[in-house]
Amino acid sequence: MSDVRTGPVTTKVPARLDRLPWSRWHWMVVIGLGTVWILDGLEVTIVGNLSAQLAKEGSGLAITQTQVAGTAAALYVAGACLGALFFGWLTDRFGRKKMFIITMVVYLVATAATAFSFSAWWFFLFRFLTGFGIGGEYAAINSAIDELIPSRHRGRIDIIINGSFWLGAAGGALLTVPLLNNLPLNIGWRVAFGMGVVLGLAILLVRRHVPESPRWLFIHGRDEEAEGLVDGVEKRIEREKGVKLDEPSRSMTIHQRKSIGFGKIAHTMVARYPKRTVLGLSLFIGQAFLYNAITFGYAQILSTFFGIKTETGYYFAVIAVGNFLGPLLLGRLFDTVGRIPMISGTYIGSGVLLLGTAWLFNQGVLTAVTLTACWCVVLFFASAGASSAYLTVSEIFPMETRAMAIAFFYAIGTFVGGVSGPLVFANLVESGRPGDTALAFCIGAALMIAAGVVELFLGVKAEGKGLEDIAEPLSTTPD
């Protein structure tokens, strides 16, 4: 590693990264970093679908279904919020790679400990710590992905990667069915958490080969290391493609610094980009309430209203497929049609469809199958919108504050929407009155529609633009 030094430096690193053709190297980045969302989906869905079984006598835990779907879910989300802030600050200060290795280790240890839970307090504690690791992943991973993926692909890749949460959700949902039906009551749920550890270890092995962000390196005084890293990637791609890459003409001059203080970060968000700050909070609060509520609470809805207890995984797997197909099929439109029409359209459209679902549910005309079909359609659009929230906050703020900005919006938005969502849903569903559950649906719909309207007025046209064009680095001029 080159010596760390600070001072003015001129670099073409951003332009060189943005002009790279798609290659096996980019796939390595996507697989090594993007697969964390599969883990998150697996974690959340396993808990939601195991809630009825964990509450049974003989499970090994003295816990109620409402505590699993409400209290434990809220603690997981609270841990994720705090983890995002803590590791987000460390990510901007010490680099992306160190943090996306450390946060994965935290996740692995906490998940393994959850599998050995012997009491409610132990289960709550390690659900919190599991969330702490996952929250740290969001900041480190989103910042690294956006800084390594070429600008013309950034929108669709980011949205599809965030949508891969639902591959884990589908896998987790299907996994719970045989574990609940074929293994002893006090063993099946432990094995389910153990599967998350196995997947996490596999991801950690791949992740070791993902490099540090060259953008982070040159801003933090390690420009020689950044240039060497990009040189190596270019040579690798030239051999793979059999072409000679043209040297970009565009360069930028920055004033290198070792770290950015909290004061500078806060000033950037509040004073320099106040409208973008309102936009980020709106998008995150809307999707966080809806998604944390339904992922943790859908099994409770099926159990309470339709008497389905051990096969909820089948229904949730259908919802998960719809959620993944949304980002997969709509993702490219965020780069072609544009950010503003697609983000506002997916948020408002999903909210309107959810209002319709609430009305039908309250009328008592839906079965478990038709309710699941309705949610599948709603979340087809909502999933693409929710993924775009992460894309938005990771590209509309300066490079030096990127990880902390992601952490801030994730933490605040998710704390407001993600902690309240499971608690509101769990308590309204617990009453057993369709009108209460329909009210919960309407609250989620209203928040999504409101966020879509904010996007219409405050959205940023970021499609096809380099990160430095969307938000000029703070280091382009010295303080």
Side-chain angles (χ1 to χ4, degrees), residues 233-251:
V233 173
E234 288 174 335
K235 291 176 181 177
R236 180 173 176 174
I237 292 176
E238 286 177 339
R239 289 194 300 269
E240 176 187 333
K241 301 293 183 181
V243 297
K244 180 67 175 178
L245 295 173
D246 295 330
E247 181 71 13
S249 58
R250 187 175 182 180
S251 63

Side-chain angles (χ1 to χ4, degrees), residues 437-451:
T437 299
L439 173 61
F441 290 178
C442 290
I443 295 172
L447 289 172
M448 291 295 284
I449 292 172

Side-chain angles (χ1 to χ4, degrees), residues 282-283 285-294 346-348 350-355 358 375 378-379 382 417 420-421 424-425 428 436-452:
S282 300
L283 294 178
I285 291 173
Q287 64 86 26
F289 183 96
L290 177 67
Y291 270 96
N292 284 282
I294 198 62
T346 51
Y347 267 80
I348 294 173
S350 61
V352 171
L353 289 169
L354 183 51
L355 288 176
W375 270 105
V378 169
L379 297 177
S420 63
V424 169
F425 262 62
L428 288 174
D436 289 346
T437 299
L439 173 61
F441 290 178
C442 290
I443 295 172
L447 289 172
M448 291 295 284
I449 292 172

Side-chain angles (χ1 to χ4, degrees), residues 283-356:
L283 294 178
F284 262 93
I285 291 173
Q287 64 86 26
F289 183 96
L290 177 67
Y291 270 96
N292 284 282
I294 198 62
T295 50
F296 285 111
Y298 196 64
Q300 186 184 9
I301 293 173
L302 294 175
S303 174
T304 301
F305 293 99
F306 304 106
I308 298 168
K309 297 186 181 296
T310 62
E311 296 182 347
T312 57
Y314 290 133
Y315 295 88
F316 204 91
V318 173
I319 287 179
V321 170
N323 270 285
F324 181 63
L325 288 177
L328 183 65
L329 299 179
L330 301 177
R332 66 181 183 85
L333 300 179
F334 288 79
D335 282 326
T336 55
V337 175
R339 303 285 201 266
I340 296 176
M342 288 305 301
I343 295 174
S344 60
T346 51
Y347 267 80
I348 294 173
S350 61
V352 171
L353 289 169
L354 183 51
L355 288 176

Side-chain angles (χ1 to χ4, degrees), residues 123-370:
F123 184 80
F124 292 153
L125 172 62
F126 284 100
R127 289 308 295 161
F128 174 84
L129 292 176
T130 300
F132 193 76
I134 287 291
E137 289 272 297
Y138 281 124
I141 301 304
N142 267 309
S143 53
I145 288 174
D146 279 4
E147 291 164 10
L148 293 171
I149 298 297
S151 57
R152 63 188 178 281
H153 299 297
R154 189 175 62 246
R156 74 186 71 182
I157 294 300
D158 206 316
I159 285 173
I160 291 173
I161 284 175
N162 279 282
S164 68
F165 171 99
W166 295 100
L167 291 178
L174 293 174
L175 180 67
T176 60
V177 176
L179 293 179
L180 292 179
N181 288 284
N182 300 327
L183 291 177
L185 181 61
N186 65 334
I187 298 296
W189 64 269
R190 300 181 190 277
V191 175
F193 283 111
M195 295 299 294
V197 176
V198 173
L199 180 58
L201 287 171
I203 293 173
L204 188 61
L205 290 175
V206 177
R207 187 172 288 183
R208 293 179 306 138
H209 303 291
V210 178
E212 179 58 86
S213 164
R215 284 176 157 102
W216 183 88
L217 287 171
F218 75 72
I219 281 182
H220 287 78
R222 294 160 62 179
D223 49 290
E224 292 180 5
E225 188 176 347
E227 298 286 350
L229 196 158
V230 176
D231 284 343
V233 173
E234 288 174 335
K235 291 176 181 177
R236 180 173 176 174
I237 292 176
E238 286 177 339
R239 289 194 300 269
E240 176 187 333
K241 301 293 183 181
V243 297
K244 180 67 175 178
L245 295 173
D246 295 330
E247 181 71 13
S249 58
R250 187 175 182 180
S251 63
M252 62 183 300
T253 300
I254 63 157
H255 185 84
Q256 296 173 314
R257 59 182 81 196
K258 294 181 180 179
S259 64
I260 305 292
F262 274 116
K264 186 69 172 177
I265 293 172
H267 180 270
T268 299
M269 293 183 182
V270 177
R272 187 170 179 177
Y273 295 110
K275 293 181 179 179
R276 296 185 181 188
T277 298
V278 172
L279 172 64
L281 287 173
S282 300
L283 294 178
F284 262 93
I285 291 173
Q287 64 86 26
F289 183 96
L290 177 67
Y291 270 96
N292 284 282
I294 198 62
T295 50
F296 285 111
Y298 196 64
Q300 186 184 9
I301 293 173
L302 294 175
S303 174
T304 301
F305 293 99
F306 304 106
I308 298 168
K309 297 186 181 296
T310 62
E311 296 182 347
T312 57
Y314 290 133
Y315 295 88
F316 204 91
V318 173
I319 287 179
V321 170
N323 270 285
F324 181 63
L325 288 177
L328 183 65
L329 299 179
L330 301 177
R332 66 181 183 85
L333 300 179
F334 288 79
D335 282 326
T336 55
V337 175
R339 303 285 201 266
I340 296 176
M342 288 305 301
I343 295 174
S344 60
T346 51
Y347 267 80
I348 294 173
S350 61
V352 171
L353 289 169
L354 183 51
L355 288 176
T357 300
W359 182 82
L360 291 172
F361 184 84
N362 193 44
Q363 295 300 307
V365 299
L366 296 177
T367 64
V369 172
T370 53

